[in-house]
Amino acid sequence: MRIDVLTLFPESFAPLKESIIGRAVENQKLELNIINIRDFSTDKHKKCDDEIFGGGDGMLMTPQPLFDAIESVLDKNSKVIYMSPKGEQFTQKAAKELATLQHLIIICGHYEGIDQRVIDAFVDMEISIGDYVLTGGELPAMVVVDTVARLLPNVLHSENSAKCDSFEDDLLEFPQYTRPAEFRGMKVPEILLSGNHGEIAKWRREQSELITSARRPDLINRRKK
Ligand code: 4G0
């Protein structure tokens, strides 16, 4: 998969060069291009924002640099996504759908967002990562890139790690332990050391159901449907 991210702050994407996503890029499982919208401004001062028509606080990103930046990467296989607090809620299900596509273009707005004409001309999907407002779409875009990239073939070590995730069956994860079997007097539950895989699977299922009922009753109700 190829992902092009359009932003005024390309350096904020440094975290994606680390760890699993960094390795996915190195191993060519993901082609990730971080594109500076300012490079496309035809203004003599490279200006990319202006005041809002009709009044109101703050600045809006102007159409020209965005139109040119988008047109520089757009092709017939592209899905254009705009990160916005008024977008559709991003979920694991949405990530799985995006992970099947060839090419994503993700637009990051800053300030009060972008001119509506950019959205009308190019955007296929407005996505929100949750009901809160950030100073820019960069953190939300990183959330989308990370979530989608770890679902791509051969990005995680085992096929299973993505399939066993929380939300995969609308249940939260059971508690997990590693060595040592006793640490500062705190013991790992006996059942997990028993080697009885049937009983272990049963215990994990019960634990998942308990934690999901306590923390996310909405998920339990959704499952019953
Ligand atoms: C568009 C996404 C973009 C409009 C972006 C701000 C949160 C999210 C931005 C605004 C973002 C999210 C109207 C302030 C950039 N913040 N929840 N900030 N306004 O996904």
Side-chain angles (χ1 to χ4, degrees):
M1 165 183 266
R2 172 173 152 201
I3 305 180
D4 295 321
V5 178
L6 308 185
T7 173
L8 285 176
F9 300 94
E11 293 181 353
S12 25
F13 289 83
L16 295 179
K17 298 194 161 42
E18 302 282 351
S19 184
I20 295 167
I21 308 306
R23 203 170 325 119
V25 171
E26 274 173 30
N27 297 341
Q28 299 174 56
K29 309 300 175 201
L30 169 68
E31 181 187 345
L32 179 62
N33 303 308
I34 310 298
I35 294 157
N36 191 343
I37 295 162
R38 197 172 299 283
D39 291 343
F40 292 85
S41 176
T42 55
D43 175 77
K44 61 179 179 294
H45 304 292
K46 302 253 168 229
K47 192 172 157 70
C48 292
D49 62 299
D50 212 326
E51 294 163 334
I52 302 173
F53 279 131
D57 278 345
M59 303 290 267
L60 212 57
M61 287 168 66
T62 56
Q64 178 275 316
L66 278 162
F67 265 70
D68 288 346
I70 294 165
E71 284 170 344
S72 80
V73 290
L74 190 69
D75 66 46
K76 60 183 187 320
N77 296 316
S78 312
K79 182 144 193 132
V80 181
I81 295 168
Y82 175 47
M83 303 312 305
S84 151
K86 68 175 187 194
E88 295 169 55
Q89 172 72 50
F90 187 57
T91 58
Q92 193 66 31
K93 177 163 168 270
K96 278 192 189 169
E97 289 168 10
L98 294 180
T100 68
L101 304 179
Q102 281 194 36
H103 184 209
L104 306 182
I105 298 172
I106 306 181
I107 304 168
C108 305
H110 228 82
Y111 322 113
E112 294 303 304
I114 68 179
D115 188 286
Q116 184 64 34
R117 289 168 290 189
V118 178
I119 299 170
D120 295 343
F122 296 110
V123 172
D124 297 307
M125 204 179 178
E126 285 187 61
I127 296 181
S128 166
I129 62 161
D131 288 341
Y132 34 79
V133 180
L134 301 162
T135 56
E138 284 75 15
L139 284 166
M142 281 190 268
V143 167
V144 170
V145 171
D146 189 288
T147 310
V148 170
R150 72 188 281 288
L151 295 175
L152 298 175
N154 304 312
V155 168
L156 298 185
H157 272 125
S158 83
E159 271 287 274
N160 248 359
S161 15
K163 292 208 180 92
C164 295
D165 285 341
S166 276
F167 307 116
E168 233 3 67
D169 50 6
D170 281 349
L171 276 181
L172 302 181
E173 206 128 75
F174 45 80
Q176 298 187 95
Y177 301 85
T178 183
R179 283 192 276 273
E182 182 175 342
F183 179 71
R184 297 196 180 181
M186 296 176 284
K187 292 195 166 93
V188 171
E190 196 89 57
I191 184 76
L192 298 177
L193 312 174
S194 70
N196 186 335
H197 298 293
E199 286 302 306
I200 292 172
K202 217 174 96 191
W203 180 86
R204 287 178 164 170
R205 183 78 191 186
E206 285 164 9
Q207 292 293 315
S208 281
E209 286 173 358
L210 283 169
I211 195 85
T212 307
S213 308
R215 288 192 189 159
R216 295 294 304 276
D218 58 310
L219 292 181
I220 294 281
N221 293 335
R222 189 161 85 190
R223 257 151 44 86
K224 286 191 185 129
K225 279 171 201 151

